[in-house]
Amino acid sequence: MYMIPTLEWLPEGVNFLDQTKLPLEETYVLATDYKQVATVIKNMIVRGAMAIGVSAAMGVALGIDRSTATTLPELSADVDLICKTLAATRPTAVNLFWGIAQVRDLYTQLAAKNTPIPQIKKAAISLARRLYDEDIANLRKLGAFGAALLPQQGTVLTHCNAGALAACGYGSALGVIRAAIEQGKKIDVFADETRPFNQGTRLTAWELVKDNIPTTLICDNMAGYFMSKGRIQAVIVGADRIAANGDTANKIGTYSVSILAKEHAIPFYVAAPFNTIDLATASGELIPIEQRAAREFTHVNGVRVTPHGVTVENPAFDVTPAKYVTAIVTERGVLRAPYDRSILAMANGAANQVELTVA
């Protein structure tokens, strides 16, 4: 399978594949300080919950490494600003805050021991790079668990992009599809275009074609039609935040697909690493929904296609209630309803099971 270099730590900074230019251009953006990493995340040059989490960790590490502070109190003040800046970029993806916390907590521990600043910098970079490797390894485990859920042969619908581009490699939803194909299953993909940012059109289709996985691109409003014709055997999507009860925030339009899947008795799977589950958020009603700029769909390739003066709403995500989710696939195993119980059991260590259902 083709390994897409979504982001990479370099001596000069963090190098990002510019996903706003795909599929027509494969160009990179080098962020040489934490403010530039924040801009890269905010402007969706890098996107996808898993990639955002690791990018945020690298942003904190980069900020620490480039700090000119000569004392721990000065460095602590810098770290607070670095973390605050990165946390303000994308509010829905809980992985963002997880990535920030990973490096911030390490810093706090080392600072409490009066660790020399050069050692702190080295440790922060080492952790950020390790999180990158762990993301790929975890998603391969996730993919293996999820592959068992897919049919031996059939078409799988996905919405948005939860592939290698949304992670450090391999992907969550698309990782499951990749793993199923690696196991010999005959799987092809229907990819929703995913308006208004067109992640399906630009990104999912691009990376699946790179992997020679049979892919059909459809408009968002075609999913129900193809389900009614028996053309889709399963749906699998990623997630930006999963509440403690299993409610799932994903790219806008996912909720509609889940209802269609339920109506047509098609399994609807969510694939996400366990750190996407936010135990501090009781239900989907409490998940903050990012509102993005109107220009994302009032303009196409910089050309306005809507009348001046029209009111625009552009929520980036919606929430799929847990009752529509057939299973949640993580690197620790597969969760089944009731999710409030199975998620808590997995969090408490009842993991590494192919199926985890708590009666």
Side-chain angles (χ1 to χ4, degrees):
M1 294 289 180
Y2 179 72
M3 192 64 177
I4 298 165
T6 312
L7 63 149
E8 183 181 12
W9 181 279
L10 299 175
E12 300 82 12
V14 186
N15 206 31
F16 295 93
L17 175 63
D18 188 346
Q19 297 190 35
T20 66
K21 300 292 180 61
L22 291 174
L24 302 180
E25 298 179 36
E26 292 183 40
T27 60
Y28 289 81
V29 173
L30 179 67
T32 58
D33 61 42
Y34 75 91
K35 293 179 181 178
Q36 291 177 358
V37 174
T39 298
V40 162
I41 295 171
K42 181 69 175 176
N43 292 345
M44 295 179 69
I45 290 169
V46 67
R47 31 68 52 204
M50 299 150 291
I52 287 172
V54 176
S55 297
M58 288 188 173
V60 178
L62 185 63
I64 291 172
D65 183 55
R66 301 296 161 88
S67 172
T68 57
T70 57
T71 67
L72 284 177
E74 290 175 349
L75 183 54
S76 294
D78 283 352
V79 170
D80 287 344
L81 179 59
I82 292 164
C83 294
K84 182 179 180 180
T85 300
L86 289 163
T89 54
R90 302 287 307 276
T92 301
V94 73
N95 308 67
L96 171 77
F97 306 100
W98 170 86
I100 293 169
Q102 293 294 304
V103 183
R104 183 191 61 216
D105 291 350
L106 173 66
Y107 170 78
T108 300
Q109 295 168 13
L110 295 176
K113 299 176 182 178
N114 290 315
T115 305
I117 289 176
Q119 291 184 30
I120 290 177
K121 291 183 175 184
K122 184 177 180 180
I125 294 171
S126 178
L127 173 58
R129 298 186 71 174
R130 189 173 80 241
L131 294 176
Y132 175 94
D133 294 334
E134 288 177 356
D135 179 74
I136 297 172
N138 286 340
L139 291 181
R140 287 191 176 276
K141 293 177 185 176
L142 182 156
F145 281 124
L149 302 177
L150 297 186
Q152 189 63 38
Q153 182 172 345
T155 299
V156 178
L157 173 71
T158 190
H159 187 77
C160 193
N161 173 266
L165 289 169
C168 298
Y170 206 68
S172 55
L174 297 193
V176 169
I177 291 168
R178 287 186 168 96
I181 291 172
E182 288 168 354
Q183 291 177 10
K185 292 188 173 184
K186 305 297 183 182
I187 300 294
D188 66 283
V189 179
F190 269 20
D192 278 346
E193 60 178 344
T194 318
R195 290 282 293 146
F197 210 66
N198 293 317
Q199 291 96 326
T201 305
R202 298 185 301 104
L203 307 179
T204 296
W206 179 79
E207 67 169 273
L208 290 178
V209 167
K210 283 271 190 182
D211 266 351
N212 295 313
I213 295 173
T215 305
T216 301
L217 187 66
I218 63 173
C219 295
D220 290 353
N221 54 5
M222 294 177 182
Y225 169 81
F226 285 112
M227 288 181 183
S228 72
K229 299 298 182 182
R231 294 282 301 277
I232 296 169
Q233 282 66 56
V235 178
I236 188 162
V237 299
D240 284 77
R241 186 184 302 217
I242 300 172
N245 70 341
D247 292 349
T248 298
N250 193 51
K251 188 54 57 183
I252 191 77
T254 303
Y255 174 41
S256 303
V257 173
S258 74
I259 295 173
L260 288 168
K262 184 78 168 182
E263 175 66 23
H264 292 90
I266 296 169
F268 181 93
Y269 301 119
V270 173
F274 192 76
N275 61 24
T276 307
I277 300 174
D278 183 8
L279 294 173
T281 299
S283 71
E285 295 178 353
L286 302 175
I287 297 176
I289 300 299
E290 177 186 1
Q291 300 289 328
R292 294 193 61 81
R295 187 180 177 88
E296 287 184 354
F297 73 93
T298 59
H299 291 66
V300 175
N301 293 329
V303 178
R304 189 177 186 95
V305 294
T306 55
H308 290 280
V310 68
T311 300
V312 170
E313 289 279 352
N314 189 15
F317 303 92
D318 57 25
V319 175
T320 298
K323 65 181 179 180
Y324 295 124
V325 178
T326 306
I328 299 172
V329 186
T330 79
E331 77 278 13
R332 301 186 187 185
V334 178
L335 294 162
R336 300 275 188 177
Y339 292 110
D340 54 349
R341 298 182 185 179
S342 59
I343 286 172
L344 188 59
M346 184 172 281
N348 289 333
N352 300 316
Q353 301 178 32
V354 174
E355 296 282 344
L356 183 56
T357 304
V358 180

